[in-house]
Amino acid sequence: MMGITKVLSGAALGTILSISSLTSAHAAVIHKDDAAQTKVETKQQASVSISKAKETALKNCSCKGAVQSAQMKKVNGAYVYVVNVLDVKGKQHTVNVNSSSGKVVKHQIEKKQQFISKSGAEKIAVKNCKGTVKSSELKTEHNAMVYVVQVSGQDGKLHTFHINCKNSKIVKHDIKNNQQHMTRAKAESFALSHCKGAVKSAQMKKENGVSVYVVSIFGQDGKLHTLHMDGKSGKILKEEVQKKQVMIASKKAHSIALSHCKGAVKSSEMKKENGVYKYIVKITAQNHTEQTVKVNAQNGAICK
C-alpha cells in the first residue's frame, strides 16, 4: 500500500511540476506578447519621426538653441517625444511633441538660468583674444553643451574657442596660422601713413557685418582723427575729425622748440612717452650740431 502511495505521490508531483512549467512558459509568452504588442502600438503611434519632433521643438522655442536630448514616453495615455532644448539665452526648455500628430502639447521653461548665454560665451572668447566674433554656434560635444566661437584676432589669425555652457570654461582653443586679417600693428601703420600723429587707440570691431579696425590718432594738426579701415585690405572706409583742438599743432610745437634752441627744424614727430604725448623735434642748431627738443603736445611745455 505504501508503494502505491509513493508512486501516486511521484506522479502527482510530476503533474504539479509540469503544470508549473507550463504556467511559467505561458507567463513568459504572455509577457513577450505584451512587449511585442507595446512595440507595435508605439510604432503605430509614432507617425512622426524623432528628427521631425526635434525640429518642431526648436521652432517652438522663442530663441534659437540646440537639442540636448529627445526620447519617446507615454504621458497620460498618449505617446509623446520629450525634447529638451537649450536656448542661446542660457535657459532650458522641455517640449512635449505628440508622436502621432506632431503638435506641441506642452512647453515648459526653466525659470532658473543654469547655463551661460551666447553673448556671454562671445565675451569670454573676445576677452581671451582681442578681435571680433566671426561666428558662434551652440553644439553638443562629448555629451556636453558647448559654444563654438570663432574670433578674427588682432594678431591676424582665426581663433576657435570651445566653451562649456555649464561652467564657462574653455575646453579647446584652436588657432589657424594663415592670416585672416591685418594685425593691429599693421592697421596702426596704415592709419599713420594716412594721418601723421600718434595713435591714441586701435581696436577691431564689426560694422555692417564686416570686421574693421577703428584707429584714433592725435593728428599733427592738433585734432583727433578716427579712421575706420577694412580689416583685410586696410582701405579707409570712413574718417571722422573732431572739431575741437585737443593738442597743439606741429607748427606751434616747432615754434616753441626753436625758441628754446635757435636753428632750423630738421624733422618732428608725435610720440607717447611714459603716458605723455610729445613732439620730438630735431633741430639743426646754428653751431651745425643736431639738437633734440621735446615739447608736451598738450600744453606746449618743454620736456626733459
Side-chain angles (χ1 to χ4, degrees):
M1 189 72 178
M2 283 182 66
I4 295 168
T5 304
K6 284 182 179 179
V7 171
L8 285 171
S9 298
L13 180 62
T15 305
I16 291 165
L17 288 170
S18 298
I19 292 168
S20 176
S21 299
L22 284 169
T23 305
S24 299
H26 183 60
V29 169
I30 290 169
H31 180 71
K32 190 175 180 181
D33 287 346
D34 284 346
Q37 181 63 31
T38 303
K39 193 173 181 181
V40 170
E41 186 183 344
T42 304
K43 193 174 181 181
Q44 287 173 345
Q45 291 282 339
S47 55
V48 175
S49 67
I50 193 167
S51 59
K52 186 67 178 176
K54 288 178 182 179
E55 187 183 327
T56 301
L58 285 169
K59 282 182 180 178
N60 200 67
C61 295
S62 55
C63 302
K64 288 183 179 179
V67 172
Q68 291 176 283
S69 63
Q71 58 180 316
M72 185 183 283
K73 288 184 179 180
K74 197 169 187 178
V75 180
N76 299 326
Y79 285 99
V80 297
Y81 287 106
V82 179
V83 186
N84 291 313
V85 175
L86 177 65
D87 72 24
V88 293
K89 288 187 176 180
K91 289 192 176 180
Q92 286 179 294
H93 301 243
T94 302
V95 185
N96 289 11
V97 181
N98 187 286
S99 64
S100 179
S101 65
K103 290 182 178 179
V104 173
V105 293
K106 187 180 178 183
H107 182 182
Q108 187 177 345
I109 306 171
E110 289 288 332
K111 290 181 181 179
K112 189 177 179 181
Q113 185 173 331
Q114 296 179 327
F115 294 79
I116 60 169
S117 64
K118 180 181 177 181
S119 60
E122 290 175 354
K123 283 178 183 176
I124 291 168
V126 172
K127 187 178 178 181
N128 282 270
C129 172
K130 298 294 182 186
T132 60
V133 174
K134 185 179 180 183
S135 66
S136 55
E137 188 178 358
L138 186 57
K139 286 185 176 181
T140 304
E141 289 181 352
H142 308 297
N143 297 319
M145 299 301 290
V146 299
Y147 276 105
V148 180
V149 185
Q150 288 192 326
V151 177
S152 298
Q154 290 185 356
D155 57 359
K157 298 171 185 177
L158 182 66
H159 296 251
T160 303
F161 294 91
H162 298 248
I163 301 168
N164 187 294
C165 296
K166 189 75 174 175
N167 57 25
S168 305
K169 288 184 179 179
I170 296 170
V171 293
K172 193 178 178 185
H173 178 192
D174 295 323
I175 304 171
K176 274 192 177 180
N177 288 321
N178 56 315
Q179 295 294 108
Q180 299 286 319
H181 292 86
M182 290 189 301
T183 62
R184 177 176 171 172
K186 187 78 171 177
E188 289 180 2
S189 177
F190 272 31
L192 288 170
S193 67
H194 176 79
C195 175
K196 299 294 182 186
V199 173
K200 180 190 176 188
S201 63
Q203 59 180 316
M204 190 185 275
K205 290 184 176 180
K206 212 158 198 174
E207 294 179 355
N208 301 320
V210 178
S211 291
V212 300
Y213 274 104
V214 180
V215 185
S216 292
I217 295 173
F218 286 121
Q220 290 191 356
D221 57 359
K223 296 178 181 179
L224 183 66
H225 296 247
T226 302
L227 306 175
H228 297 248
M229 306 160 58
D230 184 276
K232 289 184 178 180
S233 66
K235 181 183 177 181
I236 295 167
L237 306 172
K238 184 170 66 172
E239 181 178 358
E240 299 163 340
V241 183
Q242 192 174 314
K243 291 180 180 179
K244 185 182 176 182
Q245 198 87 4
V246 289
M247 300 283 181
I248 63 171
S250 58
K251 286 183 180 180
K252 180 70 175 175
H254 294 174
S255 177
I256 293 167
L258 288 170
S259 67
H260 182 76
C261 175
K262 300 295 181 184
V265 174
K266 184 180 179 183
S267 65
S268 72
E269 64 176 323
M270 193 191 291
K271 280 187 177 181
K272 190 177 183 180
E273 290 184 348
N274 302 319
V276 179
Y277 289 93
K278 304 172 183 177
Y279 278 102
I280 313 299
V281 186
K282 290 187 177 181
I283 296 172
T284 303
Q286 290 179 343
N287 61 1
H288 304 294
T289 61
E290 189 177 285
Q291 304 290 328
T292 299
V293 180
K294 296 181 180 182
V295 181
N296 187 303
Q298 289 179 290
N299 57 27
I302 298 294
C303 304
K304 290 183 180 180

